[in-house]
Structures are given as C-alpha cells and as structure tokens.
C-alpha cells in the first residue's frame, strides 16, 4: 500500500505519519531527506529523532538518490519529505539547477518495489501570493506536479489540517 | 470552543457572523474579554515564542479564528518560519481540544471535527 500525506508547515504531518507507521508491519524504516545545513534544521531533525526514538524505526539518512537503497526485508518505509528531497535533487551548492521530475518519480517507483507499505510525506507550498523568482517558481511547480503524479498512482491520499487527517483518496489503514 | 480556520479571504469572518456574533463581540488580533478571537495568527506573529502560553486563554473563548498560514513557500527569514510553525502547532493543540473545528474554503464551511 502506498500513502501520500500532504499539508502545510506545522500541520502535524510528521506526528501523524509516525503514528500511522507504528501501526503497520515491521521492520519500519524512516527515510530522512533533510540536509542539516544550519542550527535551525538540526533542531528540527533532533525533534523528529526524539519523536521516533521509542518506536523502533531504523533511520536511513539519504539526501538524494532514493532508488538504490538496499533494504534487508520488506516492511514499512516512511519517506520524509518530498519538499527536502526535491530541493536536494534540484539545486546544487554551486547554485546550479536540474530537471529532476522523472528521476524522482523513478526513484520512488523503486522504493515502492522495496517495501510493503510506503508512506510519503509531502508539503503544500503553492498557496500564497506566488510572486517568486523563476527558480523558486519552477520548484513550486515541480513539487505540485510530483504531488499530482504520486497522488494519481498511490492508494491513499490524505491532507493534514490542524492535526486532523482529511482523506482525499482511498482509505487510511487500521481505521485512522 | 469552536476553531475556525482557512486561508486569507476564505470567508471565516462572514461565517462567524452567520453564527450570530456581532462586531463588538469579535476581537481582531488581540486577546481581551470578547467571546471571539479573530486573526489569531497576528497575535502569534507578534510574539511567536510565547504562542504556547496562549492556549488556555484561547480554549476559554467561544470561537477562535485563525488563518492557515503554512501552505506557501517556506519564508526566507527565520522569524517568519518560526512564527508560521508556531501558528500551526498552536492550531493543532486548539483543534485537539476544540468541541468543533470548521474549515472554510471558498466561503463553504466544512466541519472537520465534531
């Protein structure tokens, strides 16, 4: 089963995704994509690590190239999150930019083959005035397209609003 | 307490008025003895670090109205990022203890928790 969880910043996606994953079959793998580039991201990473520490997750930190991860057994994989993954794949440190839409979909397709349940956390970044430079505009547009492509082929899509899951497609497992 | 959320211009204030509240019962961007707090996000953005302290006072209100502020691109300044997160986290706590949560989209109220 493949589940896409979306929502704005601070809407409770991570907490909900982890609760969901805990109720699904082990082994459970947390696939972390956040690049620890400053104090603020380290604080966020530590908060997420603390939330997971008692839940028996194996954590794999991978900023790019999710298609070639070797998993020892099928189980539940929680990928967090698309917005970091896209930024990591799309922009390099020298300021270069690549078209990574097909690559990311291919990598996630391989992930889908490697586990029984895949939960992907993504983000809503398109609901503001949208007056950005071309590069940021391409990022917003690409994330929107990736979200649409995943939503189309995944079994379940839910939006988190104030910690409340609103199911947009399919059904969440175990009565959530 | 009823929590009313939605984007800017989604019809939250009209909805609150449709419940029978008048202008002088609605406090805009501040906490006083009014039954309704409107534009909670403005209070949080004024002092994001103290947002968690607002929880109990807000739970004692009849209606709390807040913009959904987390669905745009991540802001460039740390202060804005923290304020946005603080608004979201406060709304999660309010929603968990609210009697009802209503989300406005294009003026249409959807009850997402009852």
């Amino acid at each position: 089963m493949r589940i896409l969880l979306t929502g704005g910043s601070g809407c409770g996606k991570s907490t909900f995704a982890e609760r969901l994953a805990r109720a699904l079959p082990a082994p459970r793998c947390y696939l972390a994509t956040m690049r620890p580039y400053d104090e603020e991201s380290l604080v966020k990473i530590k908060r997420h690590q603390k939330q997971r520490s008692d839940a028996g997750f194996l954590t794999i930190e991978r900023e790019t190239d999710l298609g070639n991860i070797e998993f020892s057994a099928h189980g539940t994989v929680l990928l967090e999150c698309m917005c970091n993954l896209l930024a990591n794949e799309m922009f390099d440190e020298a300021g270069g930019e690549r078209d990574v839409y097909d690559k990311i979909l291919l990598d996630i397709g391989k992930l889908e083959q490697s586990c029984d349940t895949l939960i992907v956390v993504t983000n809503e970044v398109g609901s503001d005035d949208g007056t950005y430079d071309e590069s940021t505009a391409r990022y917003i547009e690409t994330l929107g397209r990736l979200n649409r492509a995943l939503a189309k082929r995944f079994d379940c899509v839910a939006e988190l609003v104030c910690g409340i899951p609103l199911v947009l497609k399919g059904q969440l497992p175990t009565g959530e | 307490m009823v929590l009313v959320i939605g984007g800017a211009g989604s019809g939250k204030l009209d909805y609150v008025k449709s419940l029978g509240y008048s202008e002088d019962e609605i406090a805009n961007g501040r906490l006083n003895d009014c039954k309704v707090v409107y534009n909670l996000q403005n209070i949080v953005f004024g002092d994001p670090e103290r947002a968690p302290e607002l929880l109990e006072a807000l739970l004692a209100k009849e209606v709390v109205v807040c913009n959904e502020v987390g669905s745009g691109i991540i802001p460039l300044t740390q202060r804005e990022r923290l304020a946005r997160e603080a608004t979201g986290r406060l709304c999660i706590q309010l929603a968990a203890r609210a009697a009802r949560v209503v989300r406005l989209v294009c003026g249409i109220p959807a009850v997402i928790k009852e």
Side-chain angles (χ1 to χ4, degrees), chain A residues 11-43:
Chain A
C11 70
K13 298 185 297 293
S14 301
T15 308
F16 182 79
E18 280 161 33
R19 208 172 74 212
L20 192 61
R22 277 176 218 204
L24 293 164
R28 295 179 200 100
C29 171
Y30 182 88
L31 189 45
T33 58
M34 183 179 271
R35 186 170 280 170
Y37 53 92
D38 63 7
E39 184 59 32
E40 193 183 334
S41 54
L42 282 173
V43 166

Side-chain angles (χ1 to χ4, degrees), chain A residues 98-140:
Chain A
R98 291 184 300 162
D99 181 357
V100 293
Y101 174 81
D102 291 327
K103 177 197 188 294
I104 289 177
L105 281 185
L106 209 65
D107 281 349
I108 291 177
K110 289 179 190 162
L111 264 186
E112 290 169 38
Q113 304 301 317
S114 315
C115 57
D116 295 323
T117 306
L118 175 65
I119 303 170
V120 175
V121 175
T122 188
N123 211 305
E124 294 296 313
V125 297
S127 292
D128 57 13
D129 62 341
T131 47
Y132 295 106
D133 61 277
E134 284 181 15
S135 184
T136 307
R138 276 193 295 274
Y139 171 86
I140 295 169

Side-chain angles (χ1 to χ4, degrees), chain B residues 5-61:
Chain B
I5 51 149
S10 62
K12 299 183 295 298
L13 186 58
D14 282 354
Y15 173 73
V16 170
K17 287 180 180 168
S18 79
L19 299 177
Y21 293 100
S22 62
E23 291 278 358
D24 55 8
E25 291 173 307
I26 300 172
N28 189 352
R30 62 204 162 92
L31 261 178
N32 55 17
D33 55 4
C34 284
K35 295 173 183 171
V36 180
V37 177
Y38 175 55
N39 280 328
L40 170 63
Q41 76 284 353
N42 291 348
I43 304 176
V44 176
F45 272 65
D47 192 353
E49 285 179 14
R50 297 190 68 180
E53 298 169 25
L54 302 171
L55 183 63
E56 294 304 325
L58 291 167
L59 286 167
K61 297 288 174 187

Side-chain angles (χ1 to χ4, degrees), chain B:
Chain B
M1 186 273 291
V2 176
L3 177 65
V4 179
I5 51 149
S10 62
K12 299 183 295 298
L13 186 58
D14 282 354
Y15 173 73
V16 170
K17 287 180 180 168
S18 79
L19 299 177
Y21 293 100
S22 62
E23 291 278 358
D24 55 8
E25 291 173 307
I26 300 172
N28 189 352
R30 62 204 162 92
L31 261 178
N32 55 17
D33 55 4
C34 284
K35 295 173 183 171
V36 180
V37 177
Y38 175 55
N39 280 328
L40 170 63
Q41 76 284 353
N42 291 348
I43 304 176
V44 176
F45 272 65
D47 192 353
E49 285 179 14
R50 297 190 68 180
E53 298 169 25
L54 302 171
L55 183 63
E56 294 304 325
L58 291 167
L59 286 167
K61 297 288 174 187
E62 291 185 16
V63 181
V64 174
V65 185
C66 190
N67 274 17
E68 284 184 73
V69 295
S71 293
I73 204 76
I74 298 166
L76 283 174
T77 69
Q78 185 183 24
R79 187 186 157 77
E80 279 178 278
R81 287 195 296 272
L82 291 179
R84 215 166 69 121
E85 284 274 337
T87 304
R89 306 226 167 271
L90 183 57
C91 281
I92 291 172
Q93 290 181 295
L94 289 169
R97 291 170 66 184
R100 188 184 309 140
V101 181
V102 182
R103 185 192 205 195
L104 270 290
V105 179
C106 301
I108 299 166
V111 177
I112 62 171
K113 178 192 164 182
E114 182 82 76

